Amino acid sequence: IIFLIIICGVGIWFLFALTNEFNKDNGGIKSLSEAIRDMNGWMFLLAIGVLILYMMTDGLKYYVITKTATGKAKLRISFKAAMLGKFYDNITPSSTGGQPMQIIYLSKKGYSIADSTAIVITRFFVQMFAWVFVGGFFMIAGSSSLSSIADPAGRTTLQVFAWVGLGMILSLPLLTLSFIFFPKLTGAIVRFFLRVGHKLHIVKDKDKMIEKANKGVDDFVNSVKLMCTKPLSFI
């Protein structure tokens, strides 16, 4: 934790120094010491409070999903899983380290690997669904704000990038949904790539991996279906 705080402090200092370097011809911005001196203490506490609230709600997601999927859940384990995931997301390339570590952590706390994987992936699915819904709503509701951009080419470019970006993010929940509604098709696709991997000598034991992949898909589908049968828990 101390190391993480030091890294964050150095990162903030570096950002201020770099911004001032690029903007020195325009008068620059406040230095880090000036920004801290002039900072609104109440706003700083509010920012810390929002961060704590975010982590608490993230932990509650794991608690609700774990309770719904397995029938047993502990707040302490759920909050630690959320913190662990966020920590490893922030220290690994492309923010990809959190979920594997959460699966390992939950499996060490008495949940099976299948249940642990289903819990973590279901949380990812629900999170992406929420982001797409909220992001799409605000993008459509705020589309009139682009009228302030005088250049038609720039306005069109922003619109295209916004829709392409939303489509790319939407592809993840849709891919997840395909496992639920078309398990045979997605299972066949997974087996195809495993066979290709076997021919390329990437996958050693093809049959074992196919069996493991099929079980993982089935467990995940059952977990998400269970969440969907309880709309209050899903919301």
Side-chain angles (χ1 to χ4, degrees):
I1 292 173
I2 293 172
F3 178 71
L4 189 62
I5 292 172
I6 292 172
I7 291 296
C8 288
V10 172
I12 293 171
W13 174 84
F14 179 75
L15 286 173
F16 270 83
L18 192 65
T19 305
N20 269 318
E21 181 66 25
F22 281 117
N23 289 280
K24 59 184 178 182
D25 294 334
N26 299 320
I29 63 170
K30 293 180 180 179
S31 65
L32 180 58
S33 58
E34 290 173 333
I36 293 174
R37 187 183 65 234
D38 299 338
M39 180 174 59
N40 185 318
W42 289 109
M43 294 299 291
F44 177 76
L45 291 176
L46 177 62
I48 297 298
V50 170
L51 177 63
I52 294 172
L53 179 64
Y54 169 76
M55 294 308 301
M56 289 179 64
T57 53
D58 202 38
L60 285 174
K61 291 175 201 169
Y62 286 99
Y63 179 80
V64 171
I65 294 170
T66 304
K67 186 74 173 177
T68 305
T70 67
K72 57 177 182 177
K74 292 183 179 180
L75 278 172
R76 181 171 169 272
I77 292 176
S78 299
F79 285 131
K80 285 189 74 173
M83 290 290 290
L84 192 71
K86 191 56 59 182
F87 175 77
Y88 280 98
D89 274 346
N90 282 302
I91 65 169
T92 52
S94 304
S95 301
T96 55
Q99 292 169 341
M101 295 306 297
Q102 286 171 322
I103 292 170
I104 293 171
Y105 172 73
L106 290 172
S107 66
K108 287 185 175 182
K109 291 300 177 180
Y111 299 98
S112 68
I113 289 290
D115 284 341
S116 301
T117 304
I119 290 166
V120 172
I121 297 180
T122 301
R123 181 265 181 193
F124 175 76
F125 163 73
V126 174
Q127 181 87 356
M128 292 304 300
F129 180 86
W131 273 118
V132 170
F133 178 79
V134 173
F137 172 79
F138 279 110
M139 196 171 78
I140 294 170
S143 60
S144 60
S145 62
L146 289 175
S147 60
S148 61
I149 301 174
D151 181 20
R155 186 164 59 246
T156 302
T157 301
L158 280 176
Q159 286 177 325
V160 170
F161 273 100
W163 284 109
V164 169
L166 186 67
M168 291 176 67
I169 294 176
L170 185 62
S171 65
L172 293 171
L174 289 178
L175 180 64
T176 306
L177 286 173
S178 68
F179 278 88
I180 301 168
F181 295 108
F182 309 104
K184 292 183 178 179
L185 175 62
T186 49
I189 294 173
V190 169
R191 288 191 294 273
F192 169 76
F193 280 107
L194 286 174
R195 290 190 183 98
V196 172
H198 180 66
K199 289 184 178 180
L200 295 174
H201 302 289
I202 298 173
V203 177
K204 294 182 179 179
D205 192 334
K206 178 185 64 175
D207 295 330
K208 185 178 179 180
M209 287 299 296
I210 288 176
E211 183 182 352
K212 188 176 181 180
N214 287 336
K215 189 177 186 307
V217 170
D218 291 339
D219 289 334
F220 169 65
V221 168
N222 291 333
S223 177
V224 176
K225 280 183 177 178
L226 185 60
M227 286 296 299
C228 293
T229 58
K230 298 186 177 181
L232 183 61
S233 298
F234 183 83
I235 291 169

